[in-house]
Short mmCIF file of all heavy atoms in Angstrom, two decimals:
data_model
loop_
_atom_site.label_atom_id
_atom_site.label_comp_id
_atom_site.label_asym_id
_atom_site.label_seq_id
_atom_site.Cartn_x
_atom_site.Cartn_y
_atom_site.Cartn_z
N ALA A 22 12.44 -48.97 86.22
CA ALA A 22 12.76 -48.70 87.63
C ALA A 22 14.25 -48.92 87.89
O ALA A 22 14.82 -48.31 88.79
CB ALA A 22 11.93 -49.62 88.53
N GLU A 23 14.87 -49.78 87.09
CA GLU A 23 16.29 -50.06 87.28
C GLU A 23 17.16 -49.13 86.44
O GLU A 23 18.25 -48.77 86.85
CB GLU A 23 16.58 -51.52 86.93
CG GLU A 23 15.84 -52.52 87.80
CD GLU A 23 16.05 -53.94 87.34
OE1 GLU A 23 16.66 -54.13 86.25
OE2 GLU A 23 15.60 -54.88 88.02
N THR A 24 16.67 -48.77 85.23
CA THR A 24 17.44 -47.87 84.34
C THR A 24 16.52 -46.76 83.87
O THR A 24 16.05 -46.76 82.74
CB THR A 24 18.01 -48.65 83.15
OG1 THR A 24 16.92 -49.32 82.49
CG2 THR A 24 19.04 -49.68 83.59
N PRO A 25 16.22 -45.81 84.76
CA PRO A 25 15.25 -44.74 84.40
C PRO A 25 15.70 -43.86 83.25
O PRO A 25 14.87 -43.22 82.61
CB PRO A 25 15.10 -43.96 85.70
CG PRO A 25 16.37 -44.24 86.46
CD PRO A 25 16.76 -45.64 86.13
N ASP A 26 17.00 -43.85 82.97
CA ASP A 26 17.48 -42.99 81.89
C ASP A 26 17.48 -43.68 80.54
O ASP A 26 17.89 -43.10 79.53
CB ASP A 26 18.91 -42.52 82.20
CG ASP A 26 18.96 -41.64 83.45
OD1 ASP A 26 17.94 -40.98 83.74
OD2 ASP A 26 20.01 -41.64 84.11
N ALA A 27 17.03 -44.92 80.49
CA ALA A 27 17.03 -45.66 79.22
C ALA A 27 16.02 -45.03 78.25
O ALA A 27 15.01 -44.45 78.67
CB ALA A 27 16.69 -47.13 79.45
N PRO A 28 16.28 -45.15 76.91
CA PRO A 28 15.33 -44.59 75.92
C PRO A 28 13.95 -45.19 76.12
O PRO A 28 13.79 -46.39 76.28
CB PRO A 28 15.94 -45.01 74.58
CG PRO A 28 17.39 -45.21 74.86
CD PRO A 28 17.47 -45.73 76.27
N GLY A 29 12.93 -44.31 76.14
CA GLY A 29 11.56 -44.75 76.26
C GLY A 29 11.07 -44.81 77.68
O GLY A 29 9.88 -45.10 77.91
N CYS A 30 11.95 -44.59 78.67
CA CYS A 30 11.53 -44.68 80.06
C CYS A 30 10.96 -43.38 80.58
O CYS A 30 10.65 -43.26 81.76
CB CYS A 30 12.71 -45.12 80.94
SG CYS A 30 13.04 -46.90 80.80
N GLY A 31 10.82 -42.37 79.76
CA GLY A 31 10.20 -41.13 80.18
C GLY A 31 8.70 -41.30 80.32
O GLY A 31 8.15 -42.39 80.21
N ALA A 32 8.01 -40.22 80.55
CA ALA A 32 6.55 -40.27 80.71
C ALA A 32 5.92 -40.75 79.42
O ALA A 32 6.33 -40.37 78.33
CB ALA A 32 6.03 -38.88 81.07
N PRO A 33 4.91 -41.65 79.48
CA PRO A 33 4.26 -42.15 78.26
C PRO A 33 3.56 -41.04 77.50
O PRO A 33 3.04 -40.10 78.09
CB PRO A 33 3.27 -43.18 78.79
CG PRO A 33 3.00 -42.77 80.20
CD PRO A 33 4.28 -42.19 80.71
N VAL A 34 3.58 -41.20 76.18
CA VAL A 34 2.95 -40.20 75.31
C VAL A 34 1.49 -40.57 75.10
O VAL A 34 1.18 -41.72 74.75
CB VAL A 34 3.67 -40.13 73.94
CG1 VAL A 34 3.00 -39.10 73.05
CG2 VAL A 34 5.13 -39.77 74.17
N ALA A 35 0.60 -39.68 75.33
CA ALA A 35 -0.83 -39.93 75.09
C ALA A 35 -1.32 -38.95 74.05
O ALA A 35 -0.75 -37.88 73.85
CB ALA A 35 -1.61 -39.77 76.40
N TYR A 36 -2.38 -39.33 73.35
CA TYR A 36 -2.91 -38.50 72.28
C TYR A 36 -4.39 -38.25 72.53
O TYR A 36 -5.25 -38.79 71.82
CB TYR A 36 -2.69 -39.17 70.93
CG TYR A 36 -1.23 -39.33 70.58
CD1 TYR A 36 -0.53 -40.46 70.99
CD2 TYR A 36 -0.56 -38.35 69.87
CE1 TYR A 36 0.80 -40.62 70.69
CE2 TYR A 36 0.79 -38.50 69.57
CZ TYR A 36 1.46 -39.63 69.98
OH TYR A 36 2.78 -39.79 69.68
N PRO A 37 -4.73 -37.48 73.52
CA PRO A 37 -6.17 -37.20 73.75
C PRO A 37 -6.67 -36.21 72.70
O PRO A 37 -5.94 -35.37 72.19
CB PRO A 37 -6.18 -36.61 75.15
CG PRO A 37 -4.84 -35.94 75.29
CD PRO A 37 -3.87 -36.80 74.52
N GLY A 38 -7.93 -36.32 72.37
CA GLY A 38 -8.54 -35.41 71.41
C GLY A 38 -9.37 -36.16 70.41
O GLY A 38 -9.52 -37.38 70.46
N ARG A 39 -9.96 -35.42 69.44
CA ARG A 39 -10.78 -36.01 68.39
C ARG A 39 -10.10 -35.75 67.05
O ARG A 39 -9.58 -34.67 66.80
CB ARG A 39 -12.18 -35.39 68.41
CG ARG A 39 -13.10 -35.92 67.32
CD ARG A 39 -14.54 -35.54 67.56
NE ARG A 39 -15.06 -36.15 68.78
CZ ARG A 39 -15.49 -37.42 68.85
NH1 ARG A 39 -15.47 -38.16 67.76
NH2 ARG A 39 -15.93 -37.92 69.97
N TYR A 40 -10.12 -36.80 66.20
CA TYR A 40 -9.40 -36.73 64.93
C TYR A 40 -10.33 -37.15 63.79
O TYR A 40 -11.20 -38.03 63.96
CB TYR A 40 -8.19 -37.67 64.96
CG TYR A 40 -7.20 -37.33 66.04
CD1 TYR A 40 -7.39 -37.78 67.34
CD2 TYR A 40 -6.07 -36.55 65.77
CE1 TYR A 40 -6.50 -37.47 68.35
CE2 TYR A 40 -5.17 -36.24 66.77
CZ TYR A 40 -5.38 -36.70 68.06
OH TYR A 40 -4.48 -36.40 69.05
N ASP A 41 -10.15 -36.52 62.61
CA ASP A 41 -10.95 -36.93 61.45
C ASP A 41 -10.15 -37.92 60.60
O ASP A 41 -8.99 -38.19 60.86
CB ASP A 41 -11.38 -35.71 60.61
CG ASP A 41 -10.18 -34.98 60.00
OD1 ASP A 41 -9.04 -35.47 60.12
OD2 ASP A 41 -10.38 -33.91 59.40
N ALA A 42 -10.87 -38.49 59.58
CA ALA A 42 -10.24 -39.45 58.66
C ALA A 42 -10.69 -39.13 57.25
O ALA A 42 -11.88 -38.97 56.98
CB ALA A 42 -10.62 -40.88 59.04
N GLU A 43 -9.75 -39.02 56.33
CA GLU A 43 -10.03 -38.72 54.93
C GLU A 43 -9.14 -39.62 54.07
O GLU A 43 -8.14 -40.16 54.55
CB GLU A 43 -9.74 -37.24 54.64
CG GLU A 43 -10.64 -36.28 55.38
CD GLU A 43 -10.33 -34.83 55.04
OE1 GLU A 43 -9.23 -34.60 54.48
OE2 GLU A 43 -11.14 -33.97 55.31
N PRO A 44 -9.41 -39.80 52.76
CA PRO A 44 -10.49 -39.19 51.97
C PRO A 44 -11.74 -40.07 51.98
O PRO A 44 -11.83 -41.04 52.73
CB PRO A 44 -9.89 -39.17 50.56
CG PRO A 44 -9.06 -40.42 50.54
CD PRO A 44 -8.48 -40.55 51.93
N GLN A 45 -12.71 -39.74 51.10
CA GLN A 45 -13.92 -40.56 50.97
C GLN A 45 -13.53 -41.95 50.45
O GLN A 45 -12.69 -42.11 49.58
CB GLN A 45 -14.90 -39.91 49.99
CG GLN A 45 -16.15 -40.73 49.75
CD GLN A 45 -17.06 -40.09 48.72
OE1 GLN A 45 -16.79 -38.99 48.27
NE2 GLN A 45 -18.12 -40.77 48.37
N ILE A 46 -14.15 -43.02 50.99
CA ILE A 46 -13.87 -44.40 50.60
C ILE A 46 -15.12 -44.98 49.97
O ILE A 46 -16.19 -45.01 50.60
CB ILE A 46 -13.44 -45.23 51.82
CG1 ILE A 46 -12.15 -44.65 52.42
CG2 ILE A 46 -13.26 -46.69 51.45
CD1 ILE A 46 -11.78 -45.25 53.74
N VAL A 47 -15.01 -45.42 48.70
CA VAL A 47 -16.15 -45.98 47.98
C VAL A 47 -15.75 -47.35 47.44
O VAL A 47 -14.72 -47.48 46.80
CB VAL A 47 -16.59 -45.07 46.81
CG1 VAL A 47 -17.76 -45.70 46.06
CG2 VAL A 47 -16.98 -43.69 47.33
N TYR A 48 -16.58 -48.38 47.71
CA TYR A 48 -16.29 -49.73 47.21
C TYR A 48 -17.59 -50.51 47.08
O TYR A 48 -18.50 -50.36 47.90
CB TYR A 48 -15.35 -50.48 48.15
CG TYR A 48 -15.11 -51.91 47.74
CD1 TYR A 48 -14.39 -52.20 46.59
CD2 TYR A 48 -15.65 -52.97 48.46
CE1 TYR A 48 -14.18 -53.51 46.18
CE2 TYR A 48 -15.45 -54.28 48.06
CZ TYR A 48 -14.71 -54.55 46.92
OH TYR A 48 -14.53 -55.84 46.52
N GLY A 49 -17.69 -51.32 46.03
CA GLY A 49 -18.87 -52.16 45.84
C GLY A 49 -18.49 -53.45 45.12
O GLY A 49 -17.52 -53.50 44.38
N CYS A 50 -19.26 -54.52 45.35
CA CYS A 50 -19.06 -55.78 44.65
C CYS A 50 -20.41 -56.46 44.46
O CYS A 50 -21.36 -56.16 45.19
CB CYS A 50 -18.08 -56.69 45.39
SG CYS A 50 -18.50 -57.00 47.12
N VAL A 51 -20.50 -57.37 43.46
CA VAL A 51 -21.78 -57.94 43.07
C VAL A 51 -21.69 -59.46 42.99
O VAL A 51 -20.61 -60.04 42.94
CB VAL A 51 -22.26 -57.40 41.70
CG1 VAL A 51 -22.46 -55.91 41.76
CG2 VAL A 51 -21.26 -57.75 40.61
N ASP A 52 -22.86 -60.10 42.95
CA ASP A 52 -22.99 -61.54 42.76
C ASP A 52 -22.67 -61.88 41.31
O ASP A 52 -23.22 -61.28 40.39
CB ASP A 52 -24.43 -61.96 43.11
CG ASP A 52 -24.59 -63.47 43.12
OD1 ASP A 52 -24.29 -64.08 42.08
OD2 ASP A 52 -25.04 -64.01 44.13
#
């Protein structure tokens, strides 16, 4: 509000949407 031109004071960035995650993750451990 005091320094509107400062870096990062613009409109906030949002990331709406659906995203996938890869690759396949496999892990196991035993007694």
Side-chain angles (χ1 to χ4, degrees):
E23 298 174 353
T24 55
D26 295 332
C30 283
V34 179
Y36 296 88
R39 179 167 295 280
Y40 300 83
D41 64 6
E43 295 181 344
Q45 177 183 355
I46 298 170
V47 179
Y48 175 69
C50 54
V51 298
D52 188 303

